Amino acid sequence: MILELSVLIPLTTGVSEVLKRWRKIDNDDMPFVSLIVGIVLALIAFFTLPEGLLLGEALFIGMAAGLSGAGFYDVGKKALSRK
């Protein structure tokens, strides 16, 4: 499960950032968008990888990746704005 999270968190952050710039999503909506993106990416991995994760585990990993990605985005934004 740690391996999946370590791959999905930066992927979720990147896809969410692309969606934000492409669809002009407000910053207040980004945690929700990141959560949905994380769940969708985890479900894609669930159906394509033959590892044998349970559906509930994939959903949990997706939610964790989405929420972590949103937090990672906020921390990075604050760190860059201090310059």
Side-chain angles (χ1 to χ4, degrees):
M1 183 156 74
I2 299 296
L3 179 63
E4 290 90 354
L5 278 174
S6 65
V7 171
L8 278 179
I9 290 172
L11 192 60
T12 300
T13 304
V15 171
S16 298
E17 183 64 25
V18 168
L19 284 174
K20 176 187 171 194
R21 292 174 189 232
W22 179 51
R23 301 295 295 176
K24 306 288 191 249
I25 298 171
D26 189 29
N27 283 338
D28 295 334
D29 297 331
M30 282 308 294
F32 179 70
V33 170
S34 184
L35 178 69
I36 297 300
V37 168
I39 291 172
V40 168
L41 290 176
L43 288 175
I44 290 171
F46 171 75
F47 287 113
T48 57
L49 298 176
E51 271 187 29
L53 282 176
L54 299 174
L55 182 60
E57 290 173 335
L59 290 174
F60 178 77
I61 290 170
M63 289 188 295
L67 294 175
S68 297
F72 181 69
Y73 171 80
D74 288 339
V75 168
K77 184 173 74 170
K78 288 181 184 180
L80 291 176
S81 68
R82 288 187 181 178
K83 289 184 177 181

